[in-house]
């Protein structure tokens, strides 16, 4: 894509690429490019009009707020999102003893290395379940 743009924006390179086209083919390319340019201009104009409308609405709202004596800073207090509460940590579901150390795992997230090694060796996950008493 960068090569294409480089050719299009450099006069001599563009001329070299187009030299094999007939005049009618070249005019056809020009017409197609003009159509694309016109479409881009229309899109840009529509975007500018929409942006102008949006800015006008924002200004109208600002004026209304000023008339009602409401500061923009006050709106921030109303629109602040409430922070999500963290859920309680899950209790461990699996355990393994390695060198006198108890390693636990909830069953979510990364499997502890010691449990993974035993699973790879053929053990079942049920072998590590914490028995409820």
């Amino acid at each position: 894509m960068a090569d294409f743009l480089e050719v299009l924006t450099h006069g001599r390179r563009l001329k070299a690429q187009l030299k094999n086209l007939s005049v009618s083919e070249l005019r056809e390319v020009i017409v197609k490019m003009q159509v694309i340019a016109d479409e881009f201009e229309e899109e840009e104009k529509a975007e500018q009009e929409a942006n102008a409308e949006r800015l006008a609405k924002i200004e109208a709202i600002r004026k209304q707020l000023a008339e009602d004596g409401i500061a923009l800073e006050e709106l921030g207090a109303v629109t602040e999102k409430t922070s999500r509460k963290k859920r309680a940590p899950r209790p461990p579901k699996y355990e393994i003893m390695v060198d006198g150390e108890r390693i636990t795992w909830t069953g979510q997230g990364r499997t502890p290395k010691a449990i993974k090694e035993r699973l790879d060796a053929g053990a079942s996950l049920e072998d590590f379940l914490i028995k409820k008493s």
Side-chain angles (χ1 to χ4, degrees):
M1 184 59 136
D3 294 335
F4 178 70
L5 286 176
E6 197 172 308
V7 169
L8 279 177
T9 57
H10 193 273
R12 288 188 310 209
R13 289 184 181 167
L14 181 59
K15 187 176 181 179
Q17 292 295 320
L18 297 175
K19 72 179 179 183
N20 294 329
L21 295 179
S22 68
V23 174
S24 63
E25 291 172 328
L26 184 58
R27 291 193 191 284
E28 191 176 317
V29 169
I30 291 170
V31 168
K32 288 179 182 178
M33 291 181 82
Q34 186 61 50
V35 168
I36 292 170
D38 293 342
E39 288 174 0
F40 284 171
E41 284 178 354
E42 287 176 22
E43 289 173 7
E44 189 175 310
K45 184 179 177 184
E47 189 176 312
Q48 287 175 352
E49 288 173 358
N51 196 27
E53 251 181 64
R54 184 175 172 270
L55 291 175
K57 287 180 182 179
I58 291 172
E59 191 56 36
I61 291 170
R62 278 191 188 155
K63 285 180 183 177
Q64 185 178 6
L65 288 173
E67 289 171 3
D68 293 341
I70 300 172
L72 287 175
E73 293 78 30
E74 291 178 88
L75 291 178
V78 174
T79 60
E80 286 181 13
K81 292 182 180 178
T82 57
S83 60
R84 286 180 73 177
K85 294 181 182 178
K86 282 192 167 184
R87 63 172 175 78
R90 294 187 183 267
K93 188 174 180 181
Y94 305 99
E95 71 177 347
I96 187 171
M97 294 297 285
V98 177
D99 299 326
E101 181 184 354
R102 180 177 179 246
I103 299 173
T104 61
W105 179 46
T106 63
Q108 293 184 338
R110 182 178 235 156
T111 309
K113 187 176 179 181
I115 294 177
K116 183 164 179 16
E117 288 173 353
R118 295 271 179 93
L119 290 173
D120 291 344
S124 169
L125 194 55
E126 294 163 357
D127 298 338
F128 305 108
L129 275 173
I130 296 176
K131 306 207 180 6
K132 295 181 183 180
S133 34

